[in-house]
């Protein structure tokens, strides 16, 4: 069998055009209708961090005056949640998106639009299930101050090419999933002139730039939304069985594949072997959760691990081992990127186009980079690491599409 | 013979504290008393680009109304030039420094102070010997607008640790000599908040940030001045024969070594094998010129080449070849940096402390990264590449200090 043509993943580009309230971008959010990360789940199934984030979100939206009141609304089933993917959106960790939440708006080819909530920074954050007054106050500031400032700057610039930014990120040691520092700085360098030149309040503008510069994951929201926009646009041109989404909700991890429409193939969410921050044990970690694996879906993150020795060392693996991981991923992908190039591999492209038939035949578990939330709401991040995905969703998808496992 | 202790090069740090007119930093400049890059030379000896820059500088300082008038002043010997190194300063390419020229001010340990002219950007520039009205107008803008804005921001921040910035630069694919893009973006991310928050005119502030963001070599002036500041502070604690400066003036390349004070050991400036821009031949290139090799002196540039695959590919060598270059430099150095780490070499430190006795014994020519000016004034940059230094200055220095060439 000849290599499948996944060039659509290699030619599709993404561009951030604004930072706006989610309700301006998608009709999938509304009064007490919110989005969550990962494959669909019911209110009852929400894992701890998502439940915490949902309660905070209800207060943020003015639906509840307190977290207790918000929890009662959830308990009474008086709020709807649905998978962000159905709306073309993505969210890190819990990934709760509400109408007034500021999102990065990314346009792909052929009218594709994706979005992701603005990254709130390290420490306590809604995406980890925190809903303290500080977390909600910051969300309000992101909505009222940061979003308008960034939106005006992006409009002034005519947007920023995120595909080019990701390609340059690899040259600067980011894998654009767990390491985003250089890409964040590059983003700030592009946005600072129009921000300063705008008529925004000066203290506000300075605070926006300081907030972005102080958060090494500022670029993550841009990167994952770019992944989704590329996948959406590429999907119609991809061979059946090419993975178009990897995502988890703390209960299940799921994939979507070309040829199977909106169907999710899922398995219980794995924990893997997180490198835990001091003071935590594996018991503390919530299983895989979030949509940031859209970066792996398009050939970044763990699929570009050897481009980012610093993240390798952070999760405890050497450059040689990172290169082996990427080599392994080459065996389950159909193509090689011509734009996401790995400097340490003499500028060889990253593997793109995960082929479920190859995964099933090779029985190689795809690898993703990962951050881990505490399994209890509001306790924050407890670690990071690499996670092997279970084979079941890939095998199921291959069977469902009638793809014979490809032979070696 | 046991390894010499060059730890002073590994512990000495540098901090940029301001951007000011040169006359505020050094008494070595004054009325018609200017500095130049490289070992000392006489007015008669000035190579084309330096002669062009000097004429432009005289107009910039108001000493001449036209380039013709300025050239007459030079021809009449009515201007003095001296090596910037004697004043602790450095300059890229021609490296002409005049009293009103804005310089990056860097403080090292034990009162060491270095400085370098603000980088003027790509294309036509005084440092390449250009003295067009546009070049002089930009210099005026750097002096009147950019310098005060950056100076205020740096004072507000209490300075920026350049040693840490260089270490992080290596993690982001810069070798901090010929590739400075990621470090430039990081610098902007740090400077943007105080610039925006200042009372500088907004259009000016925006223009300053745009200028910095548009020049991939913004960080170079900071990096080379940091190299000089580290070398000045470390010198008294270094073993005799450790190189403390590498520098060229278009006629001669020279080194300074610990134990020989302000003496220069020189040889004719080499051309090497520049990778020339389209349309140029080797005949067009001015031999080695400038002080930016202060980065190699402290373990960056070509000595960190394997940290920067992108610059390797720019000058036409592979990652494997870059690693070999660094390995070769390890044979002529006395130590390994504990802070400048090479990601692709599993975070092994860069070689530091070039030992003239080892160079003489091993007969390995030290390698530097290099940019090339056109040999005629005002024609701009014609290429970049790596240059092997001649052995003579190292052999001479070893002899002069009574160091027996070290045996393998």
């Amino acid at each position: 069998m000849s290599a499948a043509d996944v060039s659509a993943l290699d030619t599709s580009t993404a561009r951030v055009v604004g930072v706006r309230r989610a309700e301006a971008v998608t009709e999938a959010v509304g009064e007490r209708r919110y989005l969550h990360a990962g494959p669909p789940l019911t209110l009852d199934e929400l894992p701890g961090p998502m439940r915490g984030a949902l309660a905070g979100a209800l207060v943020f939206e003015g639906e509840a005056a307190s977290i207790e009141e918000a929890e009662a609304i959830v308990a009474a089933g008086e709020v709807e949640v649905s998978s962000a993917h159905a709306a073309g959106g993505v969210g890190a960790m819990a990934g709760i998106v509400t109408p007034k939440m500021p999102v990065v708006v990314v346009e792909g080819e052929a009218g594709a639009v994706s979005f992701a909530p603005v990254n709130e920074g390290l420490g306590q954050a809604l995406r980890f299930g925190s809903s303290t007054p500080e977390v909600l106050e910051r969300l309000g500031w992101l909505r009222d101050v940061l979003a308008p400032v960034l939106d005006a700057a992006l409009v002034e610039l005519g947007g920023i090419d995120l595909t080019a930014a990701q390609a340059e990120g690899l040259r600067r040691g980011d894998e654009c999933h767990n390491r985003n520092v250089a890409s964040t700085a590059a983003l700030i360098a592009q946005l600072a002139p129009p921000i300063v030149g705008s008529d925004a309040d000066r203290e506000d503008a300075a605070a926006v730039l300081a907030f972005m510069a102080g958060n090494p994951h500022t670029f993550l929201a841009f990167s994952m939304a770019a992944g989704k926009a590329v996948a959406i646009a590429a999907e119609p041109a991809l061979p059946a069985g090419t993975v178009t989404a990897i995502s988890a909700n703390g209960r299940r991890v799921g994939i979507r594949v070309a040829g199977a429409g909106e169907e999710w193939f899922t398995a219980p969410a794995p924990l893997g072997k997180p490198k835990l921050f001091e003071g935590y044990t594996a018991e503390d970690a919530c299983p895989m959760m979030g949509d940031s694996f859209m970066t792996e879906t398009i050939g970044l993150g763990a699929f570009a691990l050897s481009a980012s020795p610093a993240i390798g060392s952070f999760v405890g693996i050497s450059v040689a081992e990172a290169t082996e991981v990427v080599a392994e991923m080459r065996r389950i992908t159909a193509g090689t990127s011509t734009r996401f190039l790995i400097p340490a591999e003499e500028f060889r492209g990253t593997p793109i186009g995960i082929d479920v038939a190859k995964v099933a035949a090779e029985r190689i578990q795809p690898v993703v980079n990962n951050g881990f939330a505490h399994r209890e709401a509001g306790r924050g991040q407890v670690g990071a690491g690499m996670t092997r995905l279970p084979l079941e969703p890939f095998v199921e998808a291959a069977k469902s599409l009638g793809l014979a496992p490809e032979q070696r």
Side-chain angles (χ1 to χ4, degrees), chain A residues 170-181:
Chain A
L170 297 197
R171 278 192 286 275
R172 301 186 188 185
D174 285 353
E175 37 73 276
C176 301
H177 181 176
N178 265 9
R179 186 168 164 99
N180 294 292
V181 279

Side-chain angles (χ1 to χ4, degrees), chain A residues 201-217:
Chain A
D201 175 82
R202 279 186 95 133
E203 274 186 38
D204 285 348
V208 166
L209 286 163
F211 179 82
M212 292 177 76
N215 175 12
H217 283 309

Side-chain angles (χ1 to χ4, degrees), chain A residues 64-89:
Chain A
S66 67
I67 296 300
E68 294 66 35
E69 208 178 301
E71 285 170 345
I73 292 172
V74 179
E78 290 170 350
V79 55
E80 275 177 46
V81 292
S82 63
S83 168
H85 287 267

Side-chain angles (χ1 to χ4, degrees), chain A residues 74-147:
Chain A
V74 179
E78 290 170 350
V79 55
E80 275 177 46
V81 292
S82 63
S83 168
H85 287 267
V90 285
M93 304 307 296
I96 299 293
V97 181
T98 68
K100 306 212 177 329
M101 199 173 280
V103 296
V104 170
V105 186
V106 175
E107 291 181 356
E109 316 267 339
V113 176
S114 185
F115 56 89
V118 169
N119 193 285
E120 307 159 77
L122 302 177
Q124 297 296 319
L126 195 78
R127 72 182 186 280
F128 293 118
S130 297
S131 56
T132 62
E134 293 72 27
V135 165
L136 297 180
E137 192 185 338
R138 183 177 54 203
L139 263 185
W141 181 81
L142 294 176
R143 175 195 61 206
D144 298 335
V145 179
L146 178 135

Side-chain angles (χ1 to χ4, degrees), chain A residues 16-85:
Chain A
V16 56
V17 296
V19 177
R20 295 166 198 153
R21 296 188 185 193
E23 63 191 357
V25 185
T26 176
E27 294 181 353
V29 292
E31 200 180 320
R32 296 201 185 181
R33 286 188 299 116
Y34 306 157
L35 308 180
H36 66 78
L41 35 60
T42 63
L43 268 187
D44 290 347
E45 292 180 303
L46 296 186
M50 231 180 243
R51 186 171 290 273
L54 183 57
L58 283 159
V59 175
F60 172 70
E61 288 287 326
E63 298 287 344
S66 67
I67 296 300
E68 294 66 35
E69 208 178 301
E71 285 170 345
I73 292 172
V74 179
E78 290 170 350
V79 55
E80 275 177 46
V81 292
S82 63
S83 168
H85 287 267

Side-chain angles (χ1 to χ4, degrees), chain A residues 83-344:
Chain A
S83 168
H85 287 267
V90 285
M93 304 307 296
I96 299 293
V97 181
T98 68
K100 306 212 177 329
M101 199 173 280
V103 296
V104 170
V105 186
V106 175
E107 291 181 356
E109 316 267 339
V113 176
S114 185
F115 56 89
V118 169
N119 193 285
E120 307 159 77
L122 302 177
Q124 297 296 319
L126 195 78
R127 72 182 186 280
F128 293 118
S130 297
S131 56
T132 62
E134 293 72 27
V135 165
L136 297 180
E137 192 185 338
R138 183 177 54 203
L139 263 185
W141 181 81
L142 294 176
R143 175 195 61 206
D144 298 335
V145 179
L146 178 135
V149 167
L150 291 191
D151 194 61
L154 283 165
V155 168
E156 169 80 20
L157 289 174
I160 292 175
D161 181 342
L162 292 178
T163 306
Q166 290 168 324
E168 182 60 28
L170 297 197
R171 278 192 286 275
R172 301 186 188 185
D174 285 353
E175 37 73 276
C176 301
H177 181 176
N178 265 9
R179 186 168 164 99
N180 294 292
V181 279
S183 305
T184 293
L187 197 63
I188 293 168
Q190 287 177 276
L191 288 169
I195 287 178
V196 182
S198 75
D199 55 9
D201 175 82
R202 279 186 95 133
E203 274 186 38
D204 285 348
V208 166
L209 286 163
F211 179 82
M212 292 177 76
N215 175 12
H217 283 309
T218 291
F219 187 71
L220 176 58
F222 295 75
S223 190
M224 53 196 280
K228 184 70 184 173
V230 163
I232 291 171
E235 182 166 9
L238 291 174
T242 307
V243 173
T244 56
I246 303 172
S247 175
N249 58 30
R251 302 285 180 198
R252 292 179 291 279
V253 59
I255 60 168
R256 278 183 172 188
V257 298
E262 306 217 331
E263 192 173 355
W264 287 96
F265 300 92
T266 66
L271 186 57
K273 290 175 188 162
K275 181 160 176 165
L276 295 161
F277 299 158
E278 189 142 343
Y280 294 107
T281 70
E283 312 269 289
D284 295 318
C286 178
M288 188 174 168
M289 182 176 72
D291 294 326
S292 55
F293 320 104
M294 288 309 305
T295 54
E296 274 79 6
T297 309
I298 63 161
L300 298 169
F303 284 60
L305 197 60
S306 44
S308 183
I311 200 65
S313 75
F314 178 66
V315 299
I317 71 168
S318 67
V319 178
E321 288 163 336
T323 307
E324 279 169 31
V325 167
V326 175
E328 208 184 352
M329 297 305 102
R330 297 190 190 282
R331 293 172 57 195
I332 55 169
T333 42
T336 302
S337 180
T338 64
R339 55 193 189 182
F340 297 148
L341 309 179
I342 300 177

Side-chain angles (χ1 to χ4, degrees), chain A residues 1 241 328 330-333 354-366 390-399 402-408:
Chain A
M1 183 172 155
E328 208 184 352
R330 297 190 190 282
R331 293 172 57 195
I332 55 169
T333 42
I354 303 168
D355 177 342
V356 293
K358 286 190 180 188
V359 174
E362 300 274 352
R363 302 200 68 77
I364 291 174
Q365 296 176 258
L391 288 174
E392 293 78 356
F394 300 87
V395 173
E396 280 304 308
K399 273 190 198 158
L403 301 170
E406 186 174 310
Q407 299 305 308
R408 296 190 191 201

